[in-house]
Amino acid sequence: MPLYELDVSEWLEKRSSFEILIDARSPHEFSYSHIKDAINLYALDDAEHKEVGTIYKNDRALAKSLGAKYICNNLQNIIDEVYKRCRVGSAIGIYCAKGGLRSGSVAFVLSMIGYRVFRLNGGYKAYRNHVLEFLKGPLSTKFITLFGNTGCYKSKLIRALTPAIDLEAMANHLGSVFGEINGAQPSQKSFEDALFEKLITLKDEICFIEGESRRIGSLTLPKSLYEAMRSGINVEVSASLENRISCITSDYKSVDKTFFDECIKKISPFIDKEARDEAVAKFNQNDIAKVAEILLTKYYDKVYKKNENINVFINSDDFDKAIKTLNEIREKA
């Protein structure tokens, strides 16, 4: 079967036909960031990749020879895994870091077995350049952006609407000083890749999104997206204090004392000492609702910067009605 080598645009158009998509890079490279739906069938493991890379700086011939030997050792596992996943003759996509020895070697062997192999010229680097170029340019997607004070169920609304981009889910962060409760965030590369993959499916559609700041935890929104999500229809969402407290206690119910104390320390310069001490005392008493009330009224509401260009105001206390109103806004846009 033939081996096809395609540039990134052609390869992306073709990938919906791939039975599997192979990332031939090392596990560490893959875990840091990878193309959507790829599986990691490495040509070199982490230790082998590091060793070959170190030798390559001084002796390229030796490095290539050693790399080829390691790839041959790893090919058995790759062949077994590919054979388990798809029949011979299937279309397979493959890439490595720069479209070199690793993906080329694996692609050649799989094509000789009888698979139709489509290798990405330039590898993941070419894909990343394509992503960055896309995110630099103006976006064709139009946005209905939800703004509002903390706890107004903006994220819950986003997750109930379609099409929508859930930035907090993509960033694995709730967008506040307490936002890291779900663990580590993805890398900036991985975050940008996910945004690209979502945006190319939307094209010229009207999409719901939350009006996040430019930074979500350690991650930064592309300038093009940040500007686009403020230049469409801007909606200010409000809710009763009672419902906002309920929202916050639901979102942050897993906060432990160590994490809470660290976050309180970060916001200490921006909250009255009396309010801070009361919040700490109530947390120690396990009165989480009171903690939420204090933080909402004494910290979050005071630091929240309202968007001056609001087109529509809605209230989320009646959640179903808010969803209906937002869908009507989209239909009329």
Side-chain angles (χ1 to χ4, degrees):
M1 285 285 183
L3 167 60
Y4 304 93
E5 300 201 1
L6 304 178
D7 65 26
V8 65
S9 296
E10 295 173 310
W11 190 86
L12 288 172
E13 289 178 4
K14 188 71 179 177
R15 69 173 169 174
S16 62
S17 68
F18 299 159
E19 188 73 18
I20 57 172
L21 171 55
I22 298 172
D23 183 322
R25 299 176 302 160
S26 68
H28 176 75
E29 292 171 286
F30 178 83
S31 64
Y32 187 75
S33 59
H34 58 266
I35 298 176
K36 182 184 177 184
D37 297 329
I39 60 171
N40 187 212
L41 300 180
Y42 57 82
L44 301 174
D45 66 23
D46 290 336
E48 293 163 348
H49 183 239
K50 182 177 180 180
E51 180 185 3
V52 170
T54 300
I55 294 173
Y56 188 83
K57 297 174 184 177
N58 299 312
D59 191 333
R60 294 188 177 186
L62 177 60
K64 289 181 179 180
S65 177
L66 181 63
K69 183 177 74 172
Y70 286 148
I71 290 171
C72 287
N73 290 337
N74 293 323
L75 269 169
Q76 180 177 337
N77 291 332
I78 295 173
I79 293 168
D80 288 344
E81 189 63 30
V82 171
Y83 189 79
K84 281 193 302 184
R85 289 173 176 264
C86 51
R87 62 177 180 79
V88 173
S90 299
I92 293 174
I94 190 169
Y95 67 92
C96 59
K98 298 179 182 178
L101 179 64
R102 290 182 285 178
S103 62
S105 301
V106 176
F108 175 76
V109 171
L110 292 177
S111 69
M112 293 300 293
I113 292 171
Y115 294 100
R116 290 177 292 126
V117 185
F118 297 83
R119 189 165 81 104
L120 174 58
N121 272 332
Y124 181 70
K125 183 177 181 180
Y127 173 82
R128 277 294 299 165
N129 288 337
H130 185 79
V131 169
L132 293 175
E133 282 301 311
F134 176 89
L135 293 177
K136 282 180 184 177
L139 302 179
S140 61
T141 307
K142 307 302 179 185
F143 292 101
I144 299 172
T145 307
L146 308 189
F147 296 92
N149 292 66
T150 301
C152 290
Y153 287 103
K154 299 185 299 295
S155 296
K156 186 178 178 182
L157 289 167
I158 289 293
R159 289 161 193 164
L161 293 162
T162 186
I165 296 179
D166 189 345
L167 291 173
E168 291 186 355
M170 285 186 177
N172 194 35
H173 196 281
L174 298 184
S176 73
V177 70
F178 290 86
E180 297 179 7
I181 60 172
N182 293 321
Q185 292 187 263
S187 66
Q188 181 69 31
K189 285 184 178 181
S190 184
F191 179 60
E192 290 169 349
D193 291 352
L195 286 173
F196 164 76
E197 295 289 353
K198 182 66 176 180
L199 287 165
I200 61 174
T201 67
L202 294 169
K203 297 182 180 178
D204 298 326
E205 290 194 60
I206 299 172
C207 175
F208 295 100
I209 198 166
E210 186 172 346
E212 301 285 352
S213 61
R214 186 76 192 277
R215 290 187 65 82
I216 307 177
S218 63
L219 302 175
T220 304
L221 286 178
K223 184 180 179 181
S224 60
L225 177 59
Y226 182 76
E227 293 177 348
M229 58 196 264
R230 280 163 168 72
S231 61
I233 299 174
N234 296 330
V235 179
E236 181 79 17
V237 182
S238 63
S240 66
L241 180 59
E242 180 183 2
N243 282 343
R244 293 175 64 203
I245 291 170
S246 176
C247 176
I248 292 299
T249 53
S250 174
D251 285 346
Y252 295 94
K253 59 188 175 184
S254 62
V255 171
D256 61 30
K257 180 170 173 52
T258 300
F259 182 74
F260 179 80
D261 289 343
E262 289 174 355
C263 293
I264 286 293
K265 186 177 181 180
K266 291 178 183 177
I267 68 171
S268 288
F270 312 103
I271 185 172
D272 293 340
K273 182 179 183 302
E274 182 180 345
R276 181 199 64 192
D277 292 345
E278 184 183 5
V280 172
K282 292 300 180 182
F283 184 87
N284 292 334
Q285 296 168 16
N286 201 32
D287 189 349
I288 305 304
K290 187 61 178 180
V291 174
E293 179 185 345
I294 294 167
L295 293 179
L296 285 172
T297 58
K298 303 298 184 180
Y299 170 66
Y300 283 109
D301 288 357
K302 289 187 175 183
V303 299
Y304 175 65
K305 295 179 180 178
K306 288 186 177 291
N307 188 317
E308 296 180 357
N309 301 311
I310 297 298
N311 307 108
V312 183
F313 294 85
I314 68 169
N315 186 283
S316 64
D317 289 338
D318 186 333
F319 189 80
D320 291 338
K321 182 179 179 181
I323 291 292
K324 181 181 178 182
T325 300
L326 288 167
N327 280 323
E328 289 173 350
I329 292 170
R330 183 177 185 275
E331 290 171 5
K332 294 176 182 177

